[in-house]
């Protein structure tokens, strides 16, 4: 089973705070993803968390809805009153946690408090998953006594929590084997990534017999984060042959939704869901990929709901250029191909990121193809100020037809892009996948380089705009990309 704690541990990522509506959107996506248990928050923490858990519990989702709780009756009451199906209740189990949270209390005192809390939770009709907090720094003999008492009191599941990420894979597997041999109820593993071992510790715990693991989408969580759901699932299923209930084709869309709502950007090279995970530039690699994708990809991008992306730069080879030209419907002589490759490599050697629009311009210049732009900017005006919502009005000529649209945004750039997207909506849903800006020179009159990534359906393109005016640079990049998509 998979317990997803994006809405609880994940929300504890510094700078992340989710509204009830945002939590419900993520919960619905997690349900479509196929997670077994959604830890929707901590009911006692705030009115917002209580309302979110209640909304999610009443949303008719297939997943079990869980609230985090301490071994306190007020926490249990809040979870039950929010209509949660279950609670993940934790008791401090290491000496440092017991002395810090319950000064003067002994291990036996903690056991007695845990038993009382579990029994009360069962009286309130809750499924109880009981965990030892900081179990990886606790005496294993005490963990066994604590777990045995919790099970006798009615706990349905147990969790071994590596709260500060100090487990190693070998210990994770060995401890789980020992615990699973002594308890008949399912045992879960909950890992943090302080040493970068959360994913592998989780995998080894499952190897050792854990029937459930806790994780977050994109590895969100306080400090260095938690085990990343997408990485653990794919490792278990592809490398270890251990199946989960996760709908793998929904992994990428769920990841992008969480990234957008939380505002926590993913590293480009993040496994499985990072933008570069299925992107190829090297000429040698691209040539092989085009013949047999498994040559340089351990899994297909389609498996996780993605598409392969070939990019051109200083490492470009003939095969990748030919693939791009085929997409554009162009053919080149041997000499023209050499010149196209040379210009692309020269651009890359100068430290520039070569966008799809750059490649198309190079190809059409060498082939002397004159292409009329289908999307042309005729006018743009922006209104912005301290007490004014930024508003943009844009006039475009699209395939000879004049279109005027206006939109608001969080800033003038956002407003301008929103207005352009409204103007081209009849051609399909154009999604701005990424937006990046760099100052090429110093000073307030700096030349800025804006690179956007746009998606229409399954097709993604990159385009550039370079101006001293960041708004115009952004608009120029958008129009370049649109001219490739429309």
């Amino acid at each position: 089973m998979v317990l997803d704690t994006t809405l609880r541990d994940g929300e504890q990522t510094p700078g992340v705070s989710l509204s009830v509506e945002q939590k419900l959107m993520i919960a619905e996506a997690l349900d479509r993803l196929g997670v077994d248990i959604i830890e929707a928050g901590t009911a006692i923490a705030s009115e917002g968390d209580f309302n979110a858990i209640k909304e999610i519990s009443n949303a008719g989702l297939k997943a079990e809805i869980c609230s985090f709780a301490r071994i306190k009756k007020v926490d249990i009451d809040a979870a039950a009153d929010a209509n949660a199906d279950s609670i993940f209740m934790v008791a401090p189990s290491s000496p440092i946690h017991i002395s810090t949270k319950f000064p003067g209390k002994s291990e036996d005192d903690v056991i007695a408090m845990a038993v009382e809390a579990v029994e009360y939770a069962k009286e309130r009709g809750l499924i109880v998953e009981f965990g030892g907090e900081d179990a990886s720094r606790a005496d294993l003999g005490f963990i066994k006594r604590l777990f045995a008492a919790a099970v006798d009191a009615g706990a349905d599941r147990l969790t071994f929590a590596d709260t500060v990420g100090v487990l190693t894979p070998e210990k994770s597997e060995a401890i789980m084997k020992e615990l699973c041999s002594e308890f008949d109820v399912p045992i879960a593993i909950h890992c943090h990534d302080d040493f970068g071992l959360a994913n592998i510790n989780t995998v080894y715990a499952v190897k050792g017999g854990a029937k459930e693991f806790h994780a977050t989408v994109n590895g969100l969580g306080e400090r260095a984060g938690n085990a990343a759901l997408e990485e653990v699932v794919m490792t278990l299923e592809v490398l270890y042959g251990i199946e989960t209930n996760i709908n793998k084709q929904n992994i990428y869309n769920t990841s992008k939704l969480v990234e957008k709502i939380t505002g926590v950007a993913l590293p480009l090279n993040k496994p499985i869901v990072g933008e570069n995970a299925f992107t190829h530039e090297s000429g040698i690699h691209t040539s092989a990929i085009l013949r047999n994708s498994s040559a340089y990809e351990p899994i297909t991008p389609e498996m996780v709901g993605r598409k392969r992306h070939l990019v051109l730069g200083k490492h470009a080879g003939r095969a990748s250029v030919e693939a791009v030209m085929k997409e554009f419907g162009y053919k080149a002589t041997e000499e023209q191909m050499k010149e196209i490759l040379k210009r692309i490599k020269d651009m890359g050697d100068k430290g520039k990121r070569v966008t799809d629009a750059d490649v198309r311009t190079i190809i059409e210049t060498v082939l002397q193809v004159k292409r009329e732009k289908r999307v042309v900017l005729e006018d743009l005006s922006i209104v912005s100020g301290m007490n004014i919502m930024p508003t943009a009005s844009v006039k475009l000529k699209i395939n000879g037809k004049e279109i005027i649209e206006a939109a608001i945004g969080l800033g003038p750039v956002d407003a301008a892009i929103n207005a352009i997207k409204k103007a081209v909506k009849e051609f399909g849903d154009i999604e701005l996948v990424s937006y990046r800006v760099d100052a090429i020179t110093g000073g307030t009159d700096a030349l800025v380089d804006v690179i956007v990534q746009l998606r229409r359906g399954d097709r993604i393109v990159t385009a550039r705009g370079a101006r001293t005016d960041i708004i115009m640079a952004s608009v120029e990049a958008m129009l370049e990309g649109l001219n490739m998509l429309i």
Side-chain angles (χ1 to χ4, degrees):
M1 293 194 297
V2 179
L3 182 149
D4 181 277
T5 181
T6 303
L7 298 178
R8 200 271 298 178
D9 247 354
E11 196 189 16
Q12 291 174 202
T13 302
V16 174
S17 182
L18 304 174
S19 68
V20 173
E21 294 75 15
Q22 289 172 326
K23 281 200 165 193
L24 182 58
M25 284 177 64
I26 292 175
E28 289 170 342
L30 293 173
D31 199 50
R32 291 191 296 271
L33 184 63
V35 303
D36 302 284
I37 306 163
I38 298 172
E39 190 176 26
T42 307
I44 195 64
S46 69
E47 184 180 351
D49 251 24
F50 179 88
N51 290 336
I53 293 171
K54 196 162 191 174
E55 286 275 344
I56 293 167
S57 296
N58 296 336
L61 306 182
K62 296 187 292 294
E64 176 186 311
I65 308 304
C66 176
S67 170
F68 183 78
R70 299 166 297 179
I71 48 174
K72 294 188 175 184
K73 287 187 176 181
V74 289
D75 291 38
I76 297 165
D77 284 334
D81 292 344
N83 296 335
D85 301 310
S86 64
I87 55 170
F88 171 40
M89 178 195 296
V90 297
S93 60
S94 68
I96 188 170
H97 271 236
I98 293 173
S99 63
T100 301
K101 296 187 175 185
F102 297 134
K105 298 289 186 182
S106 67
E107 290 182 346
D108 287 338
D109 292 331
V110 172
I111 290 175
M113 293 166 66
V115 167
E116 184 180 357
V118 171
E119 288 176 343
Y120 183 67
K122 295 305 294 182
E123 288 174 16
R124 290 296 319 255
L126 293 162
I127 298 168
V128 176
E129 181 163 327
F130 179 82
E133 188 175 16
D134 201 28
S136 49
R137 292 194 294 181
D139 175 71
L140 190 57
F142 172 62
I143 292 293
K144 290 179 180 178
R145 287 202 297 128
L146 179 64
F147 280 4
V151 171
D152 287 344
D156 302 282
R157 301 188 294 262
L158 300 171
T159 296
F160 188 92
D162 183 26
T163 303
V164 293
V166 295
L167 271 180
T168 60
E170 297 81 10
K171 283 183 181 178
S172 183
E173 183 176 21
I175 289 170
M176 201 53 63
K177 281 182 177 178
E178 192 168 339
L179 292 176
C180 289
S181 68
E182 295 195 23
F183 296 97
D184 292 331
V185 299
I187 300 180
I189 186 71
H190 178 107
C191 292
H192 283 260
D193 207 31
D194 296 80
F195 285 89
L197 297 173
N199 292 344
I200 192 63
N201 284 337
T202 301
V203 169
Y204 268 63
V206 174
K207 275 184 62 189
K211 300 301 182 189
E212 176 192 313
F213 68 85
H214 296 194
T216 60
V217 174
N218 299 339
L220 290 176
E222 58 187 318
R223 304 187 313 279
N226 290 40
L229 183 147
E230 60 282 350
E231 295 178 38
V232 173
V233 165
M234 296 310 294
T235 299
L236 287 173
E237 295 216 4
V238 176
L239 301 182
Y240 288 90
I242 299 172
E243 292 187 3
T244 69
N245 292 325
I246 296 299
N247 179 357
K248 296 184 289 296
Q249 289 189 333
N250 280 352
I251 283 177
Y252 182 63
N253 286 341
T254 307
S255 167
K256 296 306 289 185
L257 176 70
V258 170
E259 179 185 33
K260 184 175 182 179
I261 291 178
T262 62
V264 179
L266 295 181
L268 294 175
N269 63 341
K270 190 181 190 307
I272 312 298
V273 292
E275 284 307 308
N276 288 351
F278 298 97
T279 299
H280 305 272
E281 179 183 320
S282 168
I284 297 171
H285 287 195
T286 303
S287 180
I289 282 285
L290 291 169
R291 290 195 297 272
N292 183 352
S293 65
S294 64
Y296 287 101
E297 288 176 348
I299 60 173
T300 64
E302 290 78 12
M303 188 181 290
V304 291
R306 300 198 60 178
K307 295 287 182 182
R308 184 176 300 109
H309 189 43
L310 304 181
V311 299
L312 299 176
K314 65 189 292 184
H315 305 295
R318 183 185 180 109
S320 52
V321 176
E322 285 179 339
V324 171
M325 290 183 65
K326 183 179 180 181
E327 184 181 339
F328 293 156
Y330 296 148
K331 290 183 179 180
T333 65
E334 186 67 30
E335 289 304 310
Q336 286 172 328
M337 181 62 74
K338 288 179 182 178
E339 180 61 22
I340 291 167
L341 267 171
K342 179 180 180 300
R343 293 193 188 194
I344 291 171
K345 288 176 180 287
D346 285 347
M347 195 171 180
D349 280 334
K350 290 174 183 174
K352 292 185 178 181
R353 180 180 175 184
V354 185
T355 69
D356 297 322
D358 294 327
V359 172
R360 183 161 193 165
T361 299
I362 289 171
I363 290 171
E364 290 175 348
T365 300
V366 172
L367 299 184
Q368 297 183 339
V369 174
K370 290 184 179 180
R371 177 170 53 93
E372 185 179 347
K373 291 187 176 180
R374 297 180 125 190
V375 184
V376 179
L377 177 68
E378 297 210 314
D379 192 25
L380 171 71
S381 63
I382 305 284
V383 178
S384 185
M386 283 184 62
N387 300 310
I388 302 172
M389 175 70 76
T391 304
S393 176
V394 65
K395 183 197 289 186
L396 299 180
K397 186 171 280 188
I398 306 176
N399 292 333
K401 178 184 175 183
E402 200 172 84
I403 297 177
I404 299 174
E405 282 290 355
I408 59 174
L410 297 177
V413 171
D414 188 43
I417 289 174
N418 288 341
I420 292 170
K421 287 170 67 178
K422 282 180 69 176
V424 300
K425 64 180 181 294
E426 67 178 87
F427 297 95
D429 185 25
I430 306 293
E431 178 189 354
L432 177 63
V433 178
S434 67
Y435 173 92
R436 176 179 137 187
V437 59
D438 294 310
I440 299 173
T441 56
T444 56
D445 61 345
L447 183 68
V448 293
D449 189 18
V450 174
I451 295 178
V452 299
Q453 195 174 46
L454 303 178
R455 176 190 283 122
R456 181 188 182 200
D458 292 335
R459 191 169 176 220
I460 296 178
V461 299
T462 55
R464 167 186 282 108
R467 299 282 187 99
T468 54
D469 182 333
I470 189 172
I471 299 172
M472 289 308 300
S474 304
V475 169
E476 185 178 80
M478 282 290 294
L479 295 180
E480 281 293 328
L482 288 170
N483 272 298
M484 297 187 69
L485 288 175
I486 295 178

